[in-house]
Amino acid sequence: MKISIIIQTRVGSDRLPYKCFINFNGYTLIEWIYRRIYKTKKANSIIFAIPNSKKNKVLYNYLKSKNLNVFRGSENDVVSR
């Protein structure tokens, strides 16, 4: 059985915009999350689900520069994303 882990993230937060890029000991928050999940032996793939909007283009480019799997979908409908 194939198991995929989906991490939903975005840059558009009212309380803390761009929080996924906050640096903790040399790594961004999304890098920390990815590194921890990557250690699991049960997952076949890890996919970042992000909104398909102009302001999330920087997030898309960042994830692709790290050679990570990215799916872009609706900004308002998180379930369909």
Side-chain angles (χ1 to χ4, degrees):
M1 176 168 58
K2 288 190 174 186
I3 298 173
S4 296
I5 296 174
I6 300 171
I7 303 169
Q8 295 193 44
T9 187
R10 63 191 176 104
V11 297
S13 172
D14 290 333
R15 292 177 287 163
L16 188 56
Y18 295 86
K19 65 183 163 196
C20 58
F21 290 117
I22 293 176
N23 191 308
F24 295 102
N25 288 334
Y27 297 102
T28 62
L29 181 59
I30 53 178
E31 283 180 283
W32 276 112
I33 293 168
Y34 179 81
R35 290 162 54 99
R36 296 293 296 184
I37 292 172
Y38 184 79
K39 290 181 179 184
T40 184
K41 303 297 182 207
K42 306 224 181 220
N44 298 96
S45 63
I46 301 170
I47 304 161
F48 285 88
I50 67 171
N52 190 12
S53 64
K54 288 182 182 180
K55 66 182 170 184
N56 283 287
K57 181 80 171 170
V58 66
L59 176 59
Y60 175 79
N61 291 336
Y62 177 79
L63 294 170
K64 290 309 260 181
S65 75
K66 300 286 184 184
N67 293 320
L68 301 174
N69 296 320
V70 181
F71 176 82
R72 297 178 84 181
S74 172
E75 185 164 19
N76 298 322
D77 188 357
V78 178
V79 175
S80 73
R81 184 182 338 141

